[in-house]
Amino acid sequence: MDTIPDGGRLEQDFGVDSLALAELLTDPEGRLSIVIQDEVTGRPHTIADLRALLARLVPSGTDTA
């Protein structure tokens, strides 16, 4: 099984443009009942940034599966 490296760059390595990033962030909002505000979070550039963002926003003990 391949893993996605934390240092993977969303735009350069995975081709995630601004529209794809918006879609990528909308899914967890619906699934986890959170709000991801651009002004507060900034734009994640790497997989590690995205994981850290979600870790800050998801309440402790929430099932993310």
Side-chain angles (χ1 to χ4, degrees):
M1 178 176 180
D2 292 335
T3 60
I4 299 174
D6 279 343
R9 298 167 298 177
L10 296 173
E11 187 175 345
Q12 295 87 347
D13 298 334
F14 301 106
V16 175
D17 62 12
S18 58
L19 179 59
L21 181 61
E23 292 174 357
L24 185 65
L25 294 176
T26 300
D27 186 59
E29 284 182 323
R31 289 178 186 244
L32 303 172
S33 299
I34 60 174
V35 175
I36 301 174
Q37 298 175 343
D38 293 340
E39 310 82 45
V40 175
T41 60
R43 179 184 171 125
H45 295 284
T46 65
I47 297 296
D49 293 344
L50 189 55
R51 287 181 181 174
L53 168 64
L54 292 174
R56 283 195 327 262
L57 296 174
V58 175
S60 180
T62 299
D63 183 10
T64 60

